[in-house]
Amino acid sequence: MVTTGQERHSTIAIGDIHGLDKWKAVVDAHPDSRIVFLGDYLDPYDDISHADMLANFSEIMELKRSRPEDVVLLLGNHDLHYFNSYAAVGSRYDLELAEVFADIFLDNLYLFQNAYQEGDVVFTHAGISQAWFERDFKGDASKPIADQLNNPADSQMCALHRVGWRRGGRVGALGGIFWADISELDEPLHGYVQVVGHNRVGGIVEHAGRHDNKIVFCDCLRTGGYYIVK
């Protein structure tokens, strides 16, 4: 997989935004591709003004409205903590604009989803470990994975939003699809390729499991990196 060159009718995964506008160059370079944003649109690491961050986020949502079938907006932990009561509050939570962000998400929630799937390729913000899916989420491997993650039962909500112990949760806990740490994903969901953000990497990193499974870490937009699904 490469991150340069024109790919028609491919799917492009863009990692965590955090206020960055580098996604625009990716979209411009692949006008005929499906674009999957892996979440975390807010809470920048860099010195980005509130006005610029809000404008950037608005442009991403407008892209989705203008291309509803070709653009997928996933939710990340830095999005959920502004409006979802199950979500743990993460770092860089913006107290000044928290109510503004909550209103934006709640007014536009129809634009967003928890997961996306193309065949055996599953996209989430942070990833799915086999142990979490079986033991904690109690998912059904015989059914489409993204459908289950997008339509969880009440009994699955806590697991879905769980913070694993590597990210400050209780000892032994595995993170759900918004919080899973790279160290918890040695054995990703069996039988699937996963494309995820959340864990910062210098460039695209791929990890293959032992059960026809692979996970691709894509949180490298800050270096200009993104992932082309072939």
Side-chain angles (χ1 to χ4, degrees):
M1 306 292 181
V2 296
T3 58
T4 58
Q6 182 64 37
E7 295 288 337
R8 296 183 64 83
H9 307 300
S10 56
T11 295
I12 308 297
I14 299 177
D16 302 23
I17 299 297
H18 290 304
L20 298 174
D21 63 4
K22 292 184 178 182
W23 62 270
K24 297 178 186 180
V26 180
V27 172
D28 289 345
H30 302 277
D32 299 316
S33 295
R34 175 170 286 115
I35 307 294
V36 180
F37 289 85
L38 297 172
D40 277 7
Y41 306 96
L42 308 173
D43 302 345
Y45 289 91
D46 304 303
D47 186 15
I48 298 172
S49 72
H50 283 159
D52 286 345
M53 179 176 56
L54 285 168
N56 189 57
F57 188 30
S58 294
E59 287 188 55
I60 291 172
M61 290 189 292
E62 185 55 36
L63 180 68
K64 169 66 174 178
R65 292 189 192 96
S66 66
R67 297 174 54 186
E69 302 302 319
D70 294 331
V71 175
V72 177
L73 303 185
L74 299 186
L75 290 164
N77 58 302
H78 283 273
D79 311 314
L80 287 167
H81 66 185
Y82 287 110
F83 70 94
N84 188 307
S85 61
Y86 285 93
V89 175
S91 58
R92 304 186 310 285
Y93 180 88
D94 195 323
L95 284 169
E96 183 178 346
L97 288 184
E99 290 188 14
V100 173
F101 293 155
D103 288 342
I104 290 172
F105 276 112
L106 292 173
D107 288 344
N108 296 279
L109 202 53
Y110 68 98
L111 299 175
F112 299 88
Q113 57 198 81
N114 295 336
Y116 173 67
Q117 184 170 351
E118 292 182 350
D120 65 352
V121 182
V122 179
F123 303 76
T124 63
H125 176 64
I128 309 165
S129 70
Q130 180 67 23
W132 173 85
F133 187 75
E134 286 184 341
R135 184 191 73 191
D136 300 333
F137 187 69
K138 294 180 172 56
D140 185 343
S142 70
K143 297 179 180 179
I145 304 302
D147 286 354
Q148 298 175 67
L149 299 173
N150 285 323
N151 301 283
D154 289 345
S155 61
Q156 296 173 308
M157 291 294 283
C158 287
L160 190 74
H161 297 86
R162 182 168 294 140
V163 181
W165 74 281
R166 294 287 190 182
R167 295 286 181 129
R170 63 176 174 78
V171 174
L174 293 175
I177 63 169
F178 307 110
W179 278 98
D181 187 76
I182 193 170
S183 64
E184 300 170 343
L185 295 164
D186 286 342
E187 194 54 54
L189 187 64
H190 294 175
Y192 291 90
V193 174
Q194 293 187 63
V195 182
V196 306
H198 186 60
N199 292 278
R200 300 192 105 192
V201 287
I204 299 299
V205 172
E206 300 186 21
H207 169 72
R210 300 182 296 274
H211 299 275
D212 193 26
N213 51 345
K214 183 173 74 171
I215 190 163
V216 183
F217 297 96
C218 303
D219 183 8
C220 53
L221 181 63
R222 68 194 182 283
T223 64
Y226 57 95
Y227 186 68
I228 300 173
V229 181
K230 295 185 178 178

